[in-house]
Amino acid sequence: MGTTNNTIKSYRDLIVWNKSMNLVVDIYEISKSFPKDELFALTSQIRRSSVSIPSNIAEGSKRGTRKDYRNFIRIANGSTAELLTQLEIDYKLKYIDQDQPLRNI
């Protein structure tokens, strides 16, 4: 029987990092249709919080200690909650449909 090597060599090998990168693409696509007067408000905020998720996963993986890595995962998790809150605001303002798919995750 052959063996498989499932060793994670980089944050790029993490499923969560790849899915969060896809989420960023979806958020940028969705936010393109937001009103222009939201460019420096909700549009900017929703994009920054989505970018923060994979960024913190990547940064934490390179910090060198498990403690640091766990802390950055907690920060990424916090950014996820921030993003979900912003999506709820966008829904309430009718900028997005509640059923609008996030296609890439």
Side-chain angles (χ1 to χ4, degrees):
M1 230 185 237
T3 60
T4 59
N5 184 355
N6 291 331
T7 304
I8 295 173
K9 297 175 182 156
S10 166
Y11 60 87
R12 293 174 177 270
D13 298 326
L14 297 170
I15 293 169
V16 69
W17 181 83
N18 283 288
K19 286 190 174 205
S20 63
M21 289 292 288
N22 291 336
L23 176 63
V24 172
V25 172
D26 281 346
I27 292 300
Y28 269 76
E29 287 298 317
I30 288 168
S31 62
K32 280 182 185 178
S33 65
F34 286 8
K36 295 301 174 211
D37 62 337
E38 287 292 353
L39 185 59
F40 299 107
L42 275 172
T43 303
S44 175
Q45 190 65 32
I46 195 172
R47 288 176 176 184
R48 284 185 286 125
S49 61
S50 70
V51 167
S52 178
I53 299 166
S55 298
N56 278 294
I57 293 168
E59 184 175 353
S61 75
K62 295 297 184 181
R63 285 295 177 129
T65 68
R66 286 173 132 325
K67 182 180 177 182
D68 283 341
Y69 186 47
R70 282 193 301 266
N71 185 50
F72 276 85
I73 294 300
R74 283 188 202 99
I75 293 168
N77 195 35
S79 294
T80 302
E82 181 181 7
L83 176 61
L84 290 172
T85 299
Q86 293 159 0
L87 287 170
E88 182 70 22
I89 293 167
D90 296 330
Y91 166 71
K92 288 178 180 285
L93 292 172
K94 298 183 177 19
Y95 295 164
I96 60 173
D97 294 327
Q98 189 170 20
D99 298 327
Q100 190 157 3
L102 297 172
R103 297 175 309 263
N104 291 311
I105 60 169

